[in-house]
CSV table of all heavy atoms in Angstrom, one decimal:
chain,number,residue,atom,x,y,z
A,67,MET,N,94.7,179.6,66.8
A,67,MET,CA,94.8,178.3,67.3
A,67,MET,C,93.4,177.7,67.7
A,67,MET,O,92.7,178.5,68.3
A,67,MET,CB,95.7,178.3,68.6
A,67,MET,CG,95.9,176.9,69.2
A,67,MET,SD,97.2,177.1,70.4
A,67,MET,CE,96.5,176.2,71.7
A,68,LYS,N,93.0,176.7,67.2
A,68,LYS,CA,91.7,176.0,67.4
A,68,LYS,C,91.8,175.1,68.6
A,68,LYS,O,92.6,174.2,68.8
A,68,LYS,CB,91.2,175.3,66.3
A,68,LYS,CG,89.8,174.9,66.4
A,68,LYS,CD,89.3,174.3,65.1
A,68,LYS,CE,87.8,174.0,65.2
A,68,LYS,NZ,87.2,173.6,64.0
A,69,LEU,N,91.0,175.4,69.7
A,69,LEU,CA,90.9,174.5,70.8
A,69,LEU,C,89.9,173.4,70.7
A,69,LEU,O,89.0,173.5,69.9
A,69,LEU,CB,90.4,175.4,72.1
A,69,LEU,CG,91.4,176.5,72.5
A,69,LEU,CD1,90.7,177.4,73.6
A,69,LEU,CD2,92.7,176.0,72.9
A,70,PRO,N,90.2,172.3,71.2
A,70,PRO,CA,89.4,171.2,71.1
A,70,PRO,C,88.1,171.4,71.9
A,70,PRO,O,88.0,172.0,72.9
A,70,PRO,CB,90.2,169.9,71.7
A,70,PRO,CG,91.1,170.6,72.6
A,70,PRO,CD,91.4,171.9,72.0
A,71,LEU,N,86.9,170.7,71.4
A,71,LEU,CA,85.7,170.8,72.0
A,71,LEU,C,85.5,169.9,73.1
A,71,LEU,O,85.9,168.8,73.0
A,71,LEU,CB,84.6,170.5,70.9
A,71,LEU,CG,83.1,170.6,71.4
A,71,LEU,CD1,82.8,172.0,71.9
A,71,LEU,CD2,82.2,170.3,70.3
A,72,HIS,N,85.2,170.4,74.2
A,72,HIS,CA,84.8,169.5,75.4
A,72,HIS,C,83.5,169.5,75.8
A,72,HIS,O,82.9,170.6,76.1
A,72,HIS,CB,85.8,169.9,76.6
A,72,HIS,CG,87.3,169.9,76.3
A,72,HIS,ND1,87.9,168.8,76.2
A,72,HIS,CD2,88.1,170.8,75.9
A,72,HIS,CE1,89.2,169.0,75.9
A,72,HIS,NE2,89.3,170.2,75.7
A,73,VAL,N,82.8,168.4,75.8
A,73,VAL,CA,81.3,168.3,75.9
A,73,VAL,C,81.1,167.8,77.2
A,73,VAL,O,81.8,166.9,77.8
A,73,VAL,CB,80.8,167.4,74.9
A,73,VAL,CG1,79.2,167.2,75.0
A,73,VAL,CG2,81.1,167.8,73.5
A,74,THR,N,80.0,168.4,77.9
A,74,THR,CA,79.5,167.9,79.2
A,74,THR,C,78.8,166.5,78.9
A,74,THR,O,78.0,166.4,78.1
A,74,THR,CB,78.7,168.7,79.9
A,74,THR,OG1,79.3,169.9,80.2
A,74,THR,CG2,78.1,168.2,81.1
A,75,GLU,N,79.2,165.5,79.6
A,75,GLU,CA,78.5,164.1,79.4
A,75,GLU,C,77.5,163.9,80.5
A,75,GLU,O,77.8,164.0,81.6
A,75,GLU,CB,79.6,163.0,79.6
A,75,GLU,CG,79.2,161.7,79.3
A,75,GLU,CD,80.2,160.6,79.6
A,75,GLU,OE1,81.4,160.9,79.6
A,75,GLU,OE2,79.9,159.4,79.7
A,76,VAL,N,76.3,163.7,80.1
A,76,VAL,CA,75.2,163.4,81.1
A,76,VAL,C,75.3,161.9,81.4
A,76,VAL,O,75.1,161.0,80.6
A,76,VAL,CB,73.8,163.6,80.5
A,76,VAL,CG1,72.7,163.2,81.5
A,76,VAL,CG2,73.7,165.1,80.3
A,77,THR,N,75.8,161.5,82.7
A,77,THR,CA,75.9,160.2,83.0
A,77,THR,C,74.8,159.5,83.7
A,77,THR,O,74.7,158.2,83.7
A,77,THR,CB,77.0,160.0,84.0
A,77,THR,OG1,76.9,160.9,85.2
A,77,THR,CG2,78.4,160.6,83.3
A,78,CYS,N,73.9,160.3,84.1
A,78,CYS,CA,72.6,159.7,84.7
A,78,CYS,C,71.5,160.8,84.6
A,78,CYS,O,71.7,161.9,84.7
A,78,CYS,CB,72.8,159.3,86.1
A,78,CYS,SG,71.6,158.5,87.0
A,79,ALA,N,70.2,160.3,84.4
A,79,ALA,CA,69.0,161.2,84.4
A,79,ALA,C,67.9,160.4,84.9
A,79,ALA,O,67.7,159.3,84.8
A,79,ALA,CB,68.7,161.7,83.0
A,80,ALA,N,67.0,161.2,85.8
A,80,ALA,CA,65.9,160.7,86.3
A,80,ALA,C,64.8,161.6,86.4
A,80,ALA,O,65.0,162.8,86.6
A,80,ALA,CB,66.2,160.2,87.8
A,81,PHE,N,63.5,161.0,86.1
A,81,PHE,CA,62.3,161.9,86.0
A,81,PHE,C,61.4,161.7,87.3
A,81,PHE,O,61.4,160.6,87.6
A,81,PHE,CB,61.5,161.6,84.8
A,81,PHE,CG,62.1,162.1,83.5
A,81,PHE,CD1,63.0,161.2,82.8
A,81,PHE,CD2,61.9,163.3,83.0
A,81,PHE,CE1,63.5,161.6,81.6
A,81,PHE,CE2,62.5,163.7,81.8
A,81,PHE,CZ,63.4,163.0,81.1
A,82,HIS,N,60.8,162.6,87.7
A,82,HIS,CA,59.8,162.4,88.8
A,82,HIS,C,58.6,161.7,88.2
A,82,HIS,O,58.5,161.7,86.9
A,82,HIS,CB,59.3,163.8,89.3
A,82,HIS,CG,58.4,163.7,90.5
A,82,HIS,ND1,57.1,163.6,90.3
A,82,HIS,CD2,58.6,163.6,91.8
A,82,HIS,CE1,56.5,163.5,91.6
A,82,HIS,NE2,57.4,163.5,92.4
A,83,ASP,N,57.8,161.1,88.9
A,83,ASP,CA,56.7,160.2,88.4
A,83,ASP,C,55.8,161.0,87.5
A,83,ASP,O,55.2,160.5,86.5
A,83,ASP,CB,55.9,159.8,89.5
A,83,ASP,CG,56.5,158.6,90.4
A,83,ASP,OD1,57.6,158.1,89.9
A,83,ASP,OD2,56.2,158.4,91.5
A,84,ASP,N,55.6,162.4,87.7
A,84,ASP,CA,54.6,163.1,86.9
A,84,ASP,C,55.3,163.8,85.7
A,84,ASP,O,54.7,164.4,84.9
A,84,ASP,CB,53.8,164.1,87.7
A,84,ASP,CG,54.8,165.2,88.3
A,84,ASP,OD1,56.0,165.3,88.0
A,84,ASP,OD2,54.2,166.0,89.1
A,85,GLY,N,56.7,163.6,85.6
A,85,GLY,CA,57.5,164.0,84.5
A,85,GLY,C,57.8,165.5,84.5
A,85,GLY,O,58.3,166.1,83.7
A,86,ARG,N,57.2,166.3,85.6
A,86,ARG,CA,57.5,167.7,85.8
A,86,ARG,C,59.0,168.0,86.1
A,86,ARG,O,59.6,169.0,85.8
A,86,ARG,CB,56.5,168.3,86.8
A,86,ARG,CG,55.2,168.1,86.5
A,86,ARG,CD,54.3,169.0,85.9
A,86,ARG,NE,54.7,170.3,85.9
A,86,ARG,CZ,54.6,171.2,84.9
A,86,ARG,NH1,54.3,170.8,83.7
A,86,ARG,NH2,55.0,172.5,85.1
A,87,TRP,N,59.6,167.2,86.9
A,87,TRP,CA,61.0,167.4,87.3
A,87,TRP,C,61.9,166.4,86.8
A,87,TRP,O,61.6,165.2,86.5
A,87,TRP,CB,61.0,167.3,88.8
A,87,TRP,CG,60.5,168.5,89.5
A,87,TRP,CD1,59.2,168.7,90.0
A,87,TRP,CD2,61.1,169.6,89.8
A,87,TRP,NE1,58.9,169.8,90.5
A,87,TRP,CE2,60.2,170.6,90.5
A,87,TRP,CE3,62.3,170.2,89.6
A,87,TRP,CZ2,60.5,171.8,90.8
A,87,TRP,CZ3,62.7,171.4,90.1
A,87,TRP,CH2,61.8,172.3,90.8
A,88,LEU,N,63.1,166.9,86.5
A,88,LEU,CA,64.2,166.1,85.8
A,88,LEU,C,65.5,166.4,86.7
A,88,LEU,O,65.7,167.4,86.9
A,88,LEU,CB,64.4,166.3,84.4
A,88,LEU,CG,65.7,165.9,83.7
A,88,LEU,CD1,65.7,164.4,83.6
A,88,LEU,CD2,65.7,166.5,82.4
A,89,ALA,N,66.2,165.2,87.1
A,89,ALA,CA,67.6,165.5,87.7
A,89,ALA,C,68.6,164.8,86.8
A,89,ALA,O,68.3,163.8,86.2
A,89,ALA,CB,67.5,164.8,89.1
A,90,THR,N,69.7,165.6,86.6
A,90,THR,CA,70.8,165.0,85.8
A,90,THR,C,72.1,165.1,86.7
A,90,THR,O,72.3,165.9,87.5
A,90,THR,CB,71.0,165.9,84.4
A,90,THR,OG1,71.3,167.2,84.9
A,90,THR,CG2,69.8,165.7,83.7
A,91,VAL,N,72.9,164.1,86.3
A,91,VAL,CA,74.3,164.0,86.9
A,91,VAL,C,75.2,164.2,85.7
A,91,VAL,O,75.1,163.4,84.7
A,91,VAL,CB,74.6,162.7,87.6
A,91,VAL,CG1,76.0,162.7,88.0
A,91,VAL,CG2,73.7,162.6,88.8
A,92,GLU,N,76.1,165.1,85.8
A,92,GLU,CA,76.9,165.4,84.4
A,92,GLU,C,78.4,165.4,84.9
A,92,GLU,O,78.7,165.8,85.9
A,92,GLU,CB,76.5,166.9,84.0
A,92,GLU,CG,75.1,166.9,83.6
A,92,GLU,CD,74.7,168.4,83.2
A,92,GLU,OE1,75.5,169.4,83.3
A,92,GLU,OE2,73.6,168.6,82.9
A,93,TYR,N,79.2,164.9,83.9
A,93,TYR,CA,80.6,164.9,84.1
A,93,TYR,C,81.3,165.8,83.0
A,93,TYR,O,80.9,165.7,81.8
A,93,TYR,CB,81.1,163.5,83.9
A,93,TYR,CG,82.6,163.3,83.9
A,93,TYR,CD1,83.3,163.4,85.1
A,93,TYR,CD2,83.3,163.2,82.8
A,93,TYR,CE1,84.7,163.2,85.1
A,93,TYR,CE2,84.7,163.1,82.7
A,93,TYR,CZ,85.4,163.1,83.9
A,93,TYR,OH,86.7,163.0,84.0
A,94,TRP,N,82.2,166.6,83.4
A,94,TRP,CA,82.8,167.5,82.6
A,94,TRP,C,84.4,167.5,82.9
A,94,TRP,O,84.8,167.5,84.0
A,94,TRP,CB,82.4,168.9,82.8
A,94,TRP,CG,83.1,170.0,82.0
A,94,TRP,CD1,82.7,170.3,80.8
A,94,TRP,CD2,84.1,170.8,82.4
A,94,TRP,NE1,83.5,171.4,80.2
A,94,TRP,CE2,84.4,171.6,81.3
A,94,TRP,CE3,84.9,171.0,83.4
A,94,TRP,CZ2,85.4,172.6,81.2
A,94,TRP,CZ3,85.9,171.9,83.4
A,94,TRP,CH2,86.3,172.7,82.3
A,95,ASN,N,85.1,167.5,81.7
A,95,ASN,CA,86.6,167.4,81.9
A,95,ASN,C,87.2,168.0,80.6
A,95,ASN,O,87.0,167.5,79.5
A,95,ASN,CB,87.2,166.0,82.1
A,95,ASN,CG,88.6,166.0,82.4
A,95,ASN,OD1,89.3,167.0,82.3
A,95,ASN,ND2,89.2,164.7,82.4
A,96,ASP,N,87.9,169.0,80.7
A,96,ASP,CA,88.6,169.7,79.6
A,96,ASP,C,90.0,169.4,79.6
A,96,ASP,O,90.7,169.7,78.6
A,96,ASP,CB,88.4,171.2,79.6
A,96,ASP,CG,89.2,172.0,80.6
A,96,ASP,OD1,89.8,171.2,81.5
A,96,ASP,OD2,89.2,173.2,80.7
A,97,GLY,N,90.5,168.5,80.4
A,97,GLY,CA,92.0,168.1,80.5
A,97,GLY,C,92.9,169.3,81.0
A,97,GLY,O,94.1,169.0,81.0
A,98,VAL,N,92.4,170.4,81.4
A,98,VAL,CA,93.2,171.5,81.8
A,98,VAL,C,93.1,171.7,83.3
A,98,VAL,O,94.0,171.8,84.0
A,98,VAL,CB,93.0,172.7,80.9
A,98,VAL,CG1,93.9,173.9,81.5
A,98,VAL,CG2,93.3,172.5,79.6
A,99,ILE,N,91.7,172.0,83.7
A,99,ILE,CA,91.4,172.2,85.0
A,99,ILE,C,90.8,171.0,85.6
A,99,ILE,O,90.5,170.0,84.9
A,99,ILE,CB,90.5,173.5,85.2
A,99,ILE,CG1,89.2,173.2,84.5
A,99,ILE,CG2,91.3,174.7,84.8
A,99,ILE,CD1,88.1,174.4,84.9
A,100,THR,N,90.5,171.0,86.9
A,100,THR,CA,90.0,169.8,87.7
A,100,THR,C,88.7,169.3,87.1
A,100,THR,O,87.7,170.2,86.9
A,100,THR,CB,89.7,170.2,89.2
A,100,THR,OG1,91.0,170.7,89.7
A,100,THR,CG2,89.3,169.0,89.9
A,101,PRO,N,88.5,168.1,86.7
A,101,PRO,CA,87.1,167.6,86.2
A,101,PRO,C,86.1,167.8,87.3
A,101,PRO,O,86.4,167.9,88.4
A,101,PRO,CB,87.4,166.1,86.2
A,101,PRO,CG,88.9,166.0,86.0
A,101,PRO,CD,89.5,167.0,86.8
A,102,GLU,N,84.8,167.9,86.9
A,102,GLU,CA,83.8,168.2,87.8
A,102,GLU,C,82.6,167.2,87.5
A,102,GLU,O,82.3,166.7,86.4
A,102,GLU,CB,83.1,169.6,87.6
A,102,GLU,CG,84.2,170.6,87.9
A,102,GLU,CD,83.7,172.0,87.6
A,102,GLU,OE1,82.5,172.1,86.9
A,102,GLU,OE2,84.2,173.0,88.0
A,103,ILE,N,81.9,166.9,88.7
A,103,ILE,CA,80.5,166.3,88.6
A,103,ILE,C,79.6,167.1,89.0
A,103,ILE,O,79.7,167.7,90.1
A,103,ILE,CB,80.5,164.9,89.4
A,103,ILE,CG1,81.4,163.9,88.8
A,103,ILE,CG2,79.2,164.3,89.4
A,103,ILE,CD1,81.6,162.7,89.7
A,104,ARG,N,78.5,167.4,88.2
A,104,ARG,CA,77.4,168.3,88.6
A,104,ARG,C,76.0,167.7,88.7
A,104,ARG,O,75.7,166.8,87.8
A,104,ARG,CB,77.3,169.4,87.6
A,104,ARG,CG,78.6,170.1,87.3
A,104,ARG,CD,78.5,171.1,86.1
A,104,ARG,NE,79.7,171.7,85.9
A,104,ARG,CZ,80.2,172.2,84.6
A,104,ARG,NH1,79.3,172.0,83.6
A,104,ARG,NH2,81.3,172.7,84.5
A,105,LEU,N,75.3,168.0,89.8
A,105,LEU,CA,74.0,167.6,90.0
A,105,LEU,C,73.0,168.7,89.7
A,105,LEU,O,73.2,169.7,90.3
A,105,LEU,CB,73.7,167.0,91.4
A,105,LEU,CG,72.3,166.6,91.8
A,105,LEU,CD1,71.8,165.5,91.0
A,105,LEU,CD2,72.3,166.2,93.3
A,106,LYS,N,72.1,168.6,88.7
A,106,LYS,CA,71.3,169.6,88.3
A,106,LYS,C,69.8,169.1,88.4
A,106,LYS,O,69.4,168.0,88.1
A,106,LYS,CB,71.6,170.1,86.9
A,106,LYS,CG,73.0,170.8,86.7
A,106,LYS,CD,73.1,171.2,85.4
A,106,LYS,CE,74.5,171.8,85.2
A,106,LYS,NZ,74.8,172.2,83.7
A,107,PHE,N,68.9,170.1,88.8
A,107,PHE,CA,67.5,169.9,88.8
A,107,PHE,C,66.8,170.8,87.8
A,107,PHE,O,67.1,172.0,87.7
A,107,PHE,CB,67.0,170.2,90.2
A,107,PHE,CG,67.5,169.2,91.3
A,107,PHE,CD1,68.6,169.5,92.0
A,107,PHE,CD2,66.8,167.9,91.5
A,107,PHE,CE1,69.1,168.6,92.9
A,107,PHE,CE2,67.3,167.1,92.3
A,107,PHE,CZ,68.4,167.4,93.0
A,108,TRP,N,65.9,170.3,87.0
A,108,TRP,CA,65.2,171.0,85.9
A,108,TRP,C,63.7,170.8,86.2
A,108,TRP,O,63.3,169.7,86.7
A,108,TRP,CB,65.6,170.2,84.5
A,108,TRP,CG,67.0,170.1,84.3
A,108,TRP,CD1,67.9,169.1,84.8
A,108,TRP,CD2,67.8,170.9,83.5
A,108,TRP,NE1,69.2,169.3,84.4
A,108,TRP,CE2,69.2,170.4,83.5
A,108,TRP,CE3,67.5,172.0,82.6
A,108,TRP,CZ2,70.2,170.9,82.8
A,108,TRP,CZ3,68.6,172.6,82.0
A,108,TRP,CH2,69.8,172.0,82.0
A,109,MET,N,63.0,171.9,85.8
A,109,MET,CA,61.5,171.8,85.8
A,109,MET,C,60.9,172.0,84.4
A,109,MET,O,61.4,172.9,83.7
A,109,MET,CB,61.0,172.8,86.8
A,109,MET,CG,59.4,172.6,87.0
A,109,MET,SD,59.0,173.7,88.4
A,109,MET,CE,57.3,173.5,88.3
A,110,PHE,N,59.9,171.2,84.0
A,110,PHE,CA,59.2,171.4,82.8
A,110,PHE,C,58.4,172.7,82.7
A,110,PHE,O,57.7,173.0,83.6
A,110,PHE,CB,58.3,170.3,82.4
A,110,PHE,CG,57.9,170.3,81.0
A,110,PHE,CD1,58.8,169.8,80.0
A,110,PHE,CD2,56.7,170.8,80.6
A,110,PHE,CE1,58.4,169.8,78.6
A,110,PHE,CE2,56.3,170.8,79.2
A,110,PHE,CZ,57.2,170.3,78.3
A,111,ASP,N,58.7,173.6,81.7
A,111,ASP,CA,58.0,174.9,81.5
A,111,ASP,C,56.9,174.6,80.4
A,111,ASP,O,57.4,174.3,79.2
A,111,ASP,CB,59.0,175.9,81.0
A,111,ASP,CG,58.4,177.2,80.9
A,111,ASP,OD1,57.4,177.4,80.3
A,111,ASP,OD2,59.0,178.2,81.4
A,112,ASP,N,55.8,174.7,80.8
A,112,ASP,CA,54.6,174.4,79.8
A,112,ASP,C,54.7,175.4,78.6
A,112,ASP,O,54.3,175.0,77.6
A,112,ASP,CB,53.3,174.4,80.5
A,112,ASP,CG,53.1,173.3,81.5
A,112,ASP,OD1,53.5,172.3,81.1
A,112,ASP,OD2,52.6,173.5,82.6
A,113,GLN,N,54.9,176.7,78.9
A,113,GLN,CA,54.9,177.7,77.8
A,113,GLN,C,56.1,177.5,76.9
A,113,GLN,O,55.9,177.5,75.6
A,113,GLN,CB,55.1,179.1,78.3
A,113,GLN,CG,53.8,179.5,79.1
A,113,GLN,CD,54.0,180.9,79.6
A,113,GLN,OE1,55.0,181.5,79.8
A,113,GLN,NE2,52.7,181.6,79.7
A,114,LYS,N,57.3,177.1,77.4
A,114,LYS,CA,58.5,177.0,76.4
A,114,LYS,C,58.6,175.5,75.9
A,114,LYS,O,59.3,175.2,74.9
A,114,LYS,CB,59.8,177.2,77.3
A,114,LYS,CG,59.9,178.5,77.7
A,114,LYS,CD,61.1,178.8,78.5
A,114,LYS,CE,61.3,180.2,78.9
A,114,LYS,NZ,62.6,180.5,79.8
A,115,GLN,N,57.8,174.7,76.5
A,115,GLN,CA,57.7,173.1,76.1
A,115,GLN,C,59.1,172.6,76.2
A,115,GLN,O,59.5,171.8,75.4
A,115,GLN,CB,57.2,172.9,74.8
A,115,GLN,CG,55.6,173.2,74.7
A,115,GLN,CD,54.8,172.3,75.6
A,115,GLN,OE1,54.9,171.0,75.3
A,115,GLN,NE2,54.2,172.6,76.6
A,116,THR,N,59.9,172.9,77.4
A,116,THR,CA,61.2,172.4,77.5
A,116,THR,C,61.5,172.3,78.9
A,116,THR,O,60.8,173.0,79.8
A,116,THR,CB,62.2,173.1,76.8
A,116,THR,OG1,63.5,172.3,76.8
A,116,THR,CG2,62.5,174.5,77.1
A,117,TYR,N,62.5,171.7,79.3
A,117,TYR,CA,63.0,171.8,80.8
A,117,TYR,C,63.9,172.9,81.0
A,117,TYR,O,64.8,173.2,80.2
A,117,TYR,CB,63.7,170.4,81.2
A,117,TYR,CG,62.8,169.2,81.3
A,117,TYR,CD1,62.4,168.5,80.3
A,117,TYR,CD2,62.1,169.0,82.6
A,117,TYR,CE1,61.5,167.4,80.5
A,117,TYR,CE2,61.3,168.0,82.7
A,117,TYR,CZ,60.9,167.1,81.8
A,117,TYR,OH,60.1,166.1,81.8
A,118,VAL,N,63.5,173.6,82.1
A,118,VAL,CA,64.4,174.8,82.5
A,118,VAL,C,65.1,174.4,83.7
A,118,VAL,O,64.7,173.9,84.8
A,118,VAL,CB,63.5,175.9,82.8
A,118,VAL,CG1,64.2,177.3,83.1
A,118,VAL,CG2,62.7,176.1,81.4
A,119,LEU,N,66.4,174.8,83.7
A,119,LEU,CA,67.3,174.5,84.9
A,119,LEU,C,66.8,175.4,86.1
A,119,LEU,O,66.6,176.5,86.1
A,119,LEU,CB,68.7,175.0,84.6
A,119,LEU,CG,69.8,174.8,85.7
A,119,LEU,CD1,69.9,173.3,86.1
A,119,LEU,CD2,71.2,175.3,85.3
A,120,LYS,N,66.5,174.8,87.3
A,120,LYS,CA,65.9,175.3,88.4
A,120,LYS,C,67.2,175.4,89.4
A,120,LYS,O,67.1,176.4,90.3
A,120,LYS,CB,64.7,174.7,89.0
A,120,LYS,CG,63.5,174.8,88.1
A,120,LYS,CD,63.0,176.4,88.2
A,120,LYS,CE,61.9,176.5,87.3
A,120,LYS,NZ,61.5,177.9,87.4
A,121,ASP,N,67.9,174.5,89.6
A,121,ASP,CA,68.9,174.5,90.7
A,121,ASP,C,70.2,173.8,90.2
A,121,ASP,O,70.1,172.6,89.7
A,121,ASP,CB,68.4,174.0,91.9
A,121,ASP,CG,68.8,174.6,93.2
A,121,ASP,OD1,69.7,175.3,93.2
A,121,ASP,OD2,68.1,174.4,94.2
A,122,PHE,N,71.3,174.4,90.2
A,122,PHE,CA,72.6,173.8,90.1
A,122,PHE,C,73.1,173.6,91.4
A,122,PHE,O,73.8,174.2,92.1
A,122,PHE,CB,73.5,174.8,89.4
A,122,PHE,CG,74.9,174.5,88.9
A,122,PHE,CD1,75.6,175.2,88.1
A,122,PHE,CD2,75.4,173.3,89.4
A,122,PHE,CE1,77.0,174.9,87.8
A,122,PHE,CE2,76.8,172.9,89.0
A,122,PHE,CZ,77.4,173.7,88.2
A,123,PHE,N,72.7,172.4,91.9
A,123,PHE,CA,72.7,172.2,93.4
A,123,PHE,C,74.2,171.8,94.0
A,123,PHE,O,74.5,172.4,94.9
A,123,PHE,CB,71.8,170.9,93.7
A,123,PHE,CG,71.1,171.1,95.0
A,123,PHE,CD1,71.1,172.2,95.7
A,123,PHE,CD2,70.4,170.0,95.4
A,123,PHE,CE1,70.4,172.4,96.9
A,123,PHE,CE2,69.6,170.1,96.6
A,123,PHE,CZ,69.7,171.2,97.3
A,124,ILE,N,74.9,170.9,93.4
A,124,ILE,CA,76.1,170.5,94.0
A,124,ILE,C,77.1,170.3,92.8
A,124,ILE,O,76.8,170.0,91.7
A,124,ILE,CB,76.0,169.1,94.6
A,124,ILE,CG1,74.9,169.2,95.7
A,124,ILE,CG2,77.3,168.7,95.2
A,124,ILE,CD1,74.6,167.8,96.3
A,125,ARG,N,78.3,170.8,93.1
A,125,ARG,CA,79.4,170.7,92.3
A,125,ARG,C,80.6,170.1,93.0
A,125,ARG,O,81.0,170.6,93.9
A,125,ARG,CB,79.9,172.1,91.8
A,125,ARG,CG,80.9,172.1,90.8
A,125,ARG,CD,81.0,173.7,90.4
A,125,ARG,NE,82.4,173.9,90.0
A,125,ARG,CZ,82.9,175.0,89.6
A,125,ARG,NH1,82.1,176.0,89.6
A,125,ARG,NH2,84.1,175.1,89.4
A,126,PHE,N,80.9,168.8,92.5
A,126,PHE,CA,82.0,168.1,93.0
A,126,PHE,C,83.3,168.1,92.2
A,126,PHE,O,83.4,167.6,91.1
A,126,PHE,CB,81.7,166.6,93.2
A,126,PHE,CG,80.4,166.3,93.9
A,126,PHE,CD1,79.2,166.1,93.4
A,126,PHE,CD2,80.6,166.3,95.5
A,126,PHE,CE1,78.1,165.9,94.2
A,126,PHE,CE2,79.5,166.0,96.2
A,126,PHE,CZ,78.2,165.8,95.6
A,127,PRO,N,84.4,168.8,92.6
A,127,PRO,CA,85.6,168.7,91.9
A,127,PRO,C,86.2,167.4,92.1
A,127,PRO,O,86.0,166.7,93.3
A,127,PRO,CB,86.5,169.7,92.6
A,127,PRO,CG,85.9,170.1,93.9
A,127,PRO,CD,84.4,169.7,93.9
A,128,LEU,N,86.7,166.7,91.2
A,128,LEU,CA,87.2,165.3,91.2
A,128,LEU,C,88.7,165.4,91.4
A,128,LEU,O,89.4,166.2,91.0
A,128,LEU,CB,87.1,164.5,90.0
A,128,LEU,CG,85.5,164.3,89.7
A,128,LEU,CD1,85.5,163.6,88.3
A,128,LEU,CD2,84.9,163.4,90.7
A,129,ILE,N,89.3,164.6,92.3
A,129,ILE,CA,90.8,164.6,92.5
A,129,ILE,C,91.1,163.1,91.9
A,129,ILE,O,90.8,162.2,92.5
A,129,ILE,CB,91.2,164.7,93.9
A,129,ILE,CG1,90.7,166.1,94.3
A,129,ILE,CG2,92.7,164.5,94.1
A,129,ILE,CD1,90.9,166.4,95.9
A,130,LEU,N,91.8,163.1,90.9
A,130,LEU,CA,92.3,161.9,90.2
A,130,LEU,C,93.6,161.5,90.6
A,130,LEU,O,94.5,162.2,90.8
A,130,LEU,CB,92.1,161.9,88.7
A,130,LEU,CG,90.6,162.2,88.3
A,130,LEU,CD1,90.5,162.5,86.8
A,130,LEU,CD2,89.6,161.2,88.6
């Protein structure tokens, strides 16, 4: 049985003035368990040349 793909939707993103930090707000819903909103903080890694997750700060379960 093939399960449907459920993608996390980035609903908002903001960069610090110097571009080193990124904050994202993400919405996730698989239709089975409680939907979630996640606030994540990312920092740019010069060696990897990409943003690396530094803190998965807050997780809000949604009650619809």
Side-chain angles (χ1 to χ4, degrees):
M67 182 170 137
K68 189 172 182 174
L69 297 175
L71 178 63
H72 299 284
V73 179
T74 298
E75 179 183 350
V76 177
T77 59
C78 186
F81 291 91
H82 187 268
D83 290 341
D84 65 7
R86 306 264 330 138
W87 286 92
L88 165 66
T90 59
V91 177
E92 303 173 355
Y93 174 78
W94 179 85
N95 184 3
D96 70 354
V98 177
I99 62 175
T100 304
E102 295 176 349
I103 294 177
R104 302 172 182 155
L105 173 61
K106 295 182 180 179
F107 292 95
W108 308 78
M109 185 175 180
F110 192 78
D111 184 311
D112 291 320
Q113 289 183 333
K114 295 179 182 178
Q115 289 294 296
T116 191
Y117 285 90
V118 177
L119 183 64
K120 287 297 182 181
D121 219 340
F122 181 170
F123 218 9
I124 303 172
R125 183 174 146 180
F126 299 100
L128 296 177
I129 298 174
L130 301 174

